[in-house]
Structure formats: structure tokens, C-alpha cells
Amino acid sequence: MKKLSFFAAAVILLAGCTQDPKNEYVKLSDAACTFRAADNLPQTVRVNASGSWTAESGASWLTVEQQADALVLTVADNDTDYDRSTEILIASGRAEASISVSQLAADSNIARLRVLKTFSGGTVMSKSGRYVGGIISELQPDESYCYYPVIIDLQTDEWTKTGPFPSALYMLLRPYAISDQGLFFCFNAQDGSSPGIDLQGNVIMPKQVEGFKLNPHVQGISEDGRIWVGYNQTGDYDNNNLFHPVKWVDGVPELLPMPEASLRGVPFINGCMARGCSADGSVIYGSSWDNLDFGMLYWKDGKVDWAGSDVRRIHTEINRYGEEEICVDAMRCMADLTQISPNGKWIAGAYRYEIMEDGNYHIETYPAVFNTETGKTVIIKDYGERVVSHITNDGIVCIANSSYLPNNGFMYDVNTQTNLGSVQEWILSTYGIIAPMGYIRHVSPDGQYLMAHTMEDSALQPRVVGWYLAPALEK
């Protein structure tokens, strides 16, 4: 499988460019790039200059080959304990431009940023950023799989690998949530359960709601680990086998209230699920799973309501067959587990318009943010149809570049309605580090820990790759 380098999308053209009255210039196709620790392919940066030009490299580990209109950059493997960086200076007459080049440390070494290609299905981060969880899957000689949940302590960089869990019992396909005490919940496709694995490798199964017949699922955990949120299905197939939102306090489940009717104002067919919670567990959000509605809900002060209720609109339209259809414009949420700010003030999702034009139905979906304190919704239409992947305590959202298989995104301030640049640009200005491509899934309350995902091509299908940013460790 070919391994690709990440390019941080910093300022693309005219980077560091200085022109004099004679219109001397140097323009670059890339102003900043980041390489992985090892197995990098050479990367080419196009150079457009007003005349002949020269390039100087400032590091022995970086080889720069000058061609007619390009630079070919080749890095040696990084076997140090640290990320390293240098700068290439390009000059043409009195015009100058520079390329910032960074290389990450190896995954087994200490550094502030780690790309976690070892795991399948992405990663999850605890509320404070103390722990990251991921799953390693290994093919066995009999073509079955064994799964190894891994818990990473970001304060010590210690990896705790638990298992093996054979696929005949535990087919662990997706990480759900991890607590700040190191309890890691995953999705077990073998029996539809969500076992929790602790740092000693013990398996803890969440308790069912009394009278319910199917396995419950834990989707989010409070910072102190006492509150879990998720859902349980009744198993009563004669009565629609409804999903019900559940909150566990110290391991004891209790049902959360459901709206009187579905998002469209009709009786529920499938029900609702809780998906995540604030750091203290006082605000919970979730989704309906009804008639493909995926309406976004939230629970606060013991009450339930639709997120974005101030802009929710039910309307009846006539379709192409002359029949009445109930349409609804409202906030939506699917199986998204990182849509709430740690302080519970903000819930981010997508606002979907259902539109009937000349009897033809279509939808438009835009990023949207709901303020649980004011009850007001902001719909972000300036950037086309996209989705939000996370929101910080300060109201900074990451808007992914696609609603399907995203691999990048940009940052947006809901308070000032300002585009803050790409994820890489925002991380560079906020943390002073050049990051890979990705869309942010979690930022800790103190802003020091960050988790993101990106998509990577593989031989079979695109795979989710997680990476995190954490403070440097003391030596």
C-alpha cells in the first residue's frame, strides 16, 4: 500500500513573497508541508519565479533537488524522539519565498502529535483528553480476526493493549467512548452489545433497562466517569421494538423522556437514542431514528426538546402524484458522537430543508449550531452543503469538507460568524504545530488536547485514520 505524505494547506501562493519595483517575484504551489516519520515518498513543490532562482535547505535530513520549475523534497527517516522542522529559502533576485518543512516523530516515540494508523475504525478521546482509545484488528490463520482494544495515556504516552478478543465472541468494529478513568466502550457486532474494557483488560457490560430484551449501547461518558449515555432497544417486536434513550448513573440505567411525537409530529416508528453529553453530564444530545428523519434532540434540566426547535418547521406539500406529504425543516443528527461542547452550551449538527418544487422532492443540508442557553439556532449557509464535526466551549466549530467520507475541514467562529481558515491553518496559529489533513472530533475543555480524523485510501476501501495533539511531555 502506498503511503502518502500529508500537506498542511497553509498559504498557497505568494508565500513569504517580496516584490520590488522591477516586479521580481517567487510563487510556490505549497508554502508548508509535513512528512511522516518514515516511508515517505519525495514531494514536489512547483516554483514560478520572475527569473533564475536558487534554493537553500537548512537541515541535513532534508534533500532538496532543484529542477527547472520545481523542487523535489526528500526526507530521511526520523529516528529521534521529537518532531523536527526546517525552512527552505527560495530567492530570485531580490524576491524571496520560503517553504516550512516539518517531520513527525515515530509513533513509538514521544512527541506532541501522533498519527494512529495502527487502529481500524478511528479513535475516541476522553472528555479531558487524558485517554485515547482505538482498536487493533489482526487476521488469524483460519481467516478469523482477533481484536485488541488499546488505551493510550496521553499524560505518560503509555499504551495499554488488552485482549486478544476473538471475533467469535467480540467482533469489535468501532470505538464508542472512553472515560477519563480509562474505561473504553466499543461496538461488538457479534451480539450488538457495547462492552467496556478497563485498563486491566476486564470486560464491563452496561446494565439493561429493566424489562428490555436487547443489549444497551453506551455512546458518551461524563468527565468524572459516573454518567454514561446511550440507548436500549426493547426487543418487543409486536410494539415496534423501539429505541429508548438511556442515562446510567454509577452504572444504574434510567430512561430519558422522549418527545410526544416524532420529528414530523406523527407517532414514533423506531424511537430515539442519546449520543453524547457535556463534561458534567448535565446536558445530553441525541437523535431520533425514525423514518430516516434523524432529528436532533437534547435533554436539559430533566426536559427533552428538539435541538433547533426555534427554527423547526413542519409543512404539508403536494408531491408529483398529487398526494400530500409532511415535510419538516429541522436540525439533524445521525450516529455522530462528538457534537456537543464540553460545557454543554453548544450543540452542533446539520439543518436540513425538505423542499418540494413542482411536485419534486429534494433536500438541502447546511451546518447548524444550537445554543442550549438561549434556545437560538445559527444556520451557516455561506459555504454550501456541509456538516459540523465538533464545537468547542468558545463556539468554534469544525466544518467537514463533505457529509460523506470527509478528509479535511475548516474552522468557523459562530459568535463572530468568521471563517478561521483550514484545520491546518487554525492548528498552526493556535498550537504552533503543522498538522496533517483532518477534521476535528474533540477538543478538551482546556484546549490542550485535540483529536481528529482523516480518510486514507487502502486496497479495499477508504479507512478512517485518527490523530491527536497533546502537550509535550517533560523529559
Side-chain angles (χ1 to χ4, degrees), residues 7-20:
F7 277 80
V11 181
I12 300 300
L13 295 176
L14 297 172
C17 180
T18 303
Q19 295 190 28
D20 69 2

Side-chain angles (χ1 to χ4, degrees), residues 299-411:
W299 292 264
K300 185 178 180 180
D301 300 326
K303 299 177 181 179
V304 62
D305 198 1
W306 298 103
S309 57
D310 59 316
V311 291
R312 175 174 169 247
R313 186 174 76 95
I314 299 175
H315 49 105
T316 302
E317 306 291 344
I318 305 299
N319 64 24
R320 62 197 299 182
Y321 305 107
E323 302 166 335
E324 288 189 348
E325 281 194 23
I326 299 175
C327 296
V328 60
D329 305 333
M331 279 190 72
R332 307 298 173 108
C333 173
M334 297 180 69
D336 304 315
L337 307 183
T338 58
Q339 305 302 113
I340 190 169
S341 62
N343 61 9
K345 178 179 179 179
W346 308 97
I347 298 175
Y351 189 87
R352 191 172 82 181
Y353 293 91
E354 295 187 339
I355 302 168
M356 196 79 73
E357 293 179 341
D358 298 324
N360 295 309
Y361 172 86
H362 72 278
I363 61 173
E364 293 180 3
T365 305
Y366 299 96
V369 175
F370 178 69
N371 187 320
T372 66
E373 296 178 358
T374 65
K376 300 298 183 182
T377 302
V378 176
I379 305 171
I380 306 167
K381 293 185 178 181
D382 295 341
Y383 307 98
E385 296 189 64
R386 297 171 180 259
V387 297
V388 176
S389 61
H390 185 59
I391 185 164
T392 71
N393 278 348
D394 297 326
I396 308 299
V397 297
C398 179
I399 299 177
N401 63 347
S402 172
S403 59
Y404 178 70
L405 299 180
N407 67 351
N408 207 350
F410 67 92
M411 308 302 290

